[in-house]
């Protein structure tokens, strides 16, 4: 993707394929004027799907006793990604966020509730390099007038397995001839 491209495309999340160490910083209380952060570690493993038009990652957080799952799907007609999240604590798929990358930053928005209060949610992907990336989540309770970042994840690539680059869209390997023993 070029730095001025605003239409999301296949492969936007290719950077995330593989294994990562994750450092979390999370506000202890959200939308409460709190500035006390808790920190904890995790690992993430991400698998590309649909030739780069989707991926799944599993987040393992043993310090907090849960795992999480993200599913990212590209709508090529709209040029937007939709991201879904679920965790092992409640087993429910959370409301999605939708958006795209622009100038190397991914912004994704959705609607949700927090403690019975309607909120706008924003995920931001930034600082993307071959060895690192940053994700944060922010809530707005005032129709996007102000945002409170409440969760930050700093990803560092783990040595070892990394998935191969995606195949070009529409290209499939030639069929193998059948052989009999």
């Amino acid at each position: 993707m070029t730095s001025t491209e605003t239409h999301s495309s296949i492969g936007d999340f290719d950077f995330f394929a593989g294994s990562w160490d994750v450092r979390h910083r999370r506000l202890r209380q959200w939308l409460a004027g709190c500035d006390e952060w808790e920190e904890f570690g995790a690992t993430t493993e991400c698998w590309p799907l649909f030739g780069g038009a989707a991926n799944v990652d599993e987040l393992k957080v043993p310090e907090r006793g849960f795992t999480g799952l993200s599913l990212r799907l590209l709508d090529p007609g709209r040029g937007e990604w939709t991201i879904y999240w679920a965790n092992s604590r409640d087993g429910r798929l959370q409301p999605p966020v939708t958006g795209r990358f622009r100038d190397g930053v991914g912004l994704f928005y959705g609607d949700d509730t927090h403690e019975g209060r309607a909120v706008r949610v924003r995920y931001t992907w930034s600082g993307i390099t071959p060895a690192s990336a940053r994700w944060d989540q922010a809530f707005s309770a005032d129709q996007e007038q102000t945002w409170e970042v409440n969760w930050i994840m700093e990803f560092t690539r783990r040595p070892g397995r990394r998935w191969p680059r995606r195949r070009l869209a529409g290209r499939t390997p030639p069929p193998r001839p059948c052989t009999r023993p």
Side-chain angles (χ1 to χ4, degrees), residues 167-168 170-178:
R167 288 189 184 134
L168 297 175
R171 309 231 28 225
T172 57
R176 287 193 230 164
C178 294

Side-chain angles (χ1 to χ4, degrees), residues 9 11-17 46 52 55 72 81 83 101 108 125:
S9 61
D12 283 348
F13 278 100
D14 279 0
F15 73 90
F16 203 45
C46 180
N55 72 30
R72 297 172 191 84
W81 285 89
I83 304 172
F101 284 88
F108 306 88
W125 280 96

Side-chain angles (χ1 to χ4, degrees), residues 73-178:
L73 297 167
L74 174 66
D75 177 337
R78 293 179 46 189
E80 292 183 328
W81 285 89
T82 300
I83 304 172
Y84 299 89
W85 165 255
N87 70 70
S88 62
R89 288 181 175 160
D90 62 21
R92 285 182 267 158
L93 197 59
Q94 301 302 309
V97 294
T98 302
R100 59 178 41 106
F101 284 88
R102 181 178 183 172
D103 297 327
V105 175
L107 293 172
F108 306 88
Y109 297 88
D111 296 305
D112 203 344
T113 58
H114 175 66
E115 297 179 347
R117 185 177 178 186
V119 295
R120 191 78 170 138
V121 179
R122 181 186 70 207
Y123 290 0
T124 303
W125 280 96
S126 62
I128 298 165
T129 74
S132 63
R134 176 189 163 110
W135 171 91
D136 69 56
Q137 172 182 272
F139 283 179
S140 175
D142 58 11
Q143 293 80 40
E144 299 186 24
Q145 297 300 306
T146 61
W147 291 94
E148 176 186 85
V149 174
N150 56 39
W151 198 337
I152 299 167
M153 287 190 245
E154 299 283 348
F155 294 88
T156 304
R157 186 170 302 283
R158 300 181 92 187
R161 184 169 70 183
R162 176 150 188 204
W163 279 263
R165 298 283 303 162
R166 65 180 166 80
R167 288 189 184 134
L168 297 175
R171 309 231 28 225
T172 57
R176 287 193 230 164
C178 294

Side-chain angles (χ1 to χ4, degrees), residues 45-58:
E45 189 112 3
C46 180
W47 301 268
L49 301 165
F50 301 163
N55 72 30
V56 172
D57 75 77
E58 182 180 26

